[in-house]
């Protein structure tokens, strides 16, 4: 699993994990995929339906990034459960995180992510580049949410479609 590969990495040494075309992995809980080693880069190889797919199978399933300067690129996240709370969570220590060419998809109108990207207070210097959210008419809250001050947040080249009960982006707590 990607989580296992992260555990083999050394902090701040630019370790890169390449995820092969067609790779499929199930995220079954809150600790199934955690980037907790600083400076790790996860890069999916492939395009279209050959992008690596991570299927979320429990409401607590999450891609959690808790270390600084991590980079996640070119993967698909698919909800396969009703009310999956969050697709990607950036903890307060995830400063310098880059999310690039990420696709987040609801599996059906009753298999949706409530929040696509949640950014903790005091998580700074985050770049979200070419995020593509394909939400269906479910119970989603917001695509991107900040829980508090998040300095130097850059969201560029992104496309979000869906119905959200709060807002497309809720950055009201951000600085």
């Amino acid at each position: 699993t990607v989580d296992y590969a992260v555990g083999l990495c050394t902090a701040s040494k630019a370790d890169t994990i390449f995820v092969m075309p067609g790779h499929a992995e199930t995220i079954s809980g809150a600790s199934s995929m955690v980037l907790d080693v600083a400076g790790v880069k996860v890069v999916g190889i492939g395009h279209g339906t050959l992008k690596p797919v991570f299927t979320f199978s429990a409401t607590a399933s999450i891609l959690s990034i808790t270390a600084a300067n991590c980079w996640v690129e070119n993967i698909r996240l698919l909800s396969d459960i009703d009310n999956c709370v969050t697709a990607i969570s950036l903890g307060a220590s995830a400063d310098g995180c880059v999310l690039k060419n990420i696709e987040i998809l609801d599996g059906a109108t009753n298999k949706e992510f409530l929040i696509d990207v949640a950014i903790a207070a005091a998580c700074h210097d985050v770049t979200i580049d070419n995020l593509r959210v394909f939400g269906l008419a479910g119970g989603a809250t917001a695509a991107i949410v900040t829980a508090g001050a998040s300095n130097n947040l850059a969201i560029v080249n992104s496309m979000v479609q869906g119905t959200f009960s709060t807002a497309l982006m809720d950055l009201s707590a951000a600085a």
Side-chain angles (χ1 to χ4, degrees), residues 29 32 34 48 61 90 109 121 128 136 161 171-172:
S32 295
V34 180
S61 298
L90 304 181
T109 56
I128 299 173
L136 300 172
Q161 69 181 40
L171 308 178
S172 61

Side-chain angles (χ1 to χ4, degrees), residues 2-160:
V2 170
D3 189 64
Y4 178 79
V6 169
L8 299 175
C9 293
T10 302
S12 303
K13 296 296 182 189
D15 287 354
T16 301
I17 300 164
F18 291 101
V19 186
M20 299 309 290
H23 176 81
E25 191 171 320
T26 299
I27 307 301
S28 59
S31 61
S32 295
M33 188 170 174
V34 180
L35 274 67
D36 54 359
V37 178
V40 170
K41 191 172 190 177
V42 176
V43 178
I45 308 297
H47 64 280
T49 58
L50 289 178
K51 269 188 182 181
V53 176
F54 296 86
T55 301
F56 290 57
S57 64
T59 57
S61 298
I62 195 166
L63 188 170
S64 181
I65 302 173
T66 60
N69 301 310
C70 289
W71 181 299
V72 180
E73 180 175 352
N74 202 47
I75 63 171
R76 300 178 98 192
L77 307 177
L78 174 67
S79 177
D80 195 35
I81 186 109
D82 188 25
N83 294 326
C84 188
V85 177
T86 305
I88 302 171
S89 173
L90 304 181
S93 298
D95 295 339
C97 179
V98 174
L99 302 175
K100 185 170 182 165
N101 298 332
I102 307 293
E103 293 181 19
I104 301 176
L105 302 97
D106 290 350
T109 56
N110 64 338
K111 294 181 177 181
E112 75 279 0
F113 290 107
L114 299 180
I115 296 171
D116 298 301
V117 179
I119 303 169
C123 179
H124 305 299
D125 303 309
V126 172
T127 299
I128 299 173
D129 185 1
N130 199 28
L131 173 70
R132 302 179 61 77
V133 174
F134 299 98
L136 300 172
T141 305
I144 301 171
V145 174
T146 55
S150 181
N151 299 329
N152 305 320
L153 170 63
I155 303 169
V156 296
N157 305 318
S158 296
M159 187 279 305
V160 176

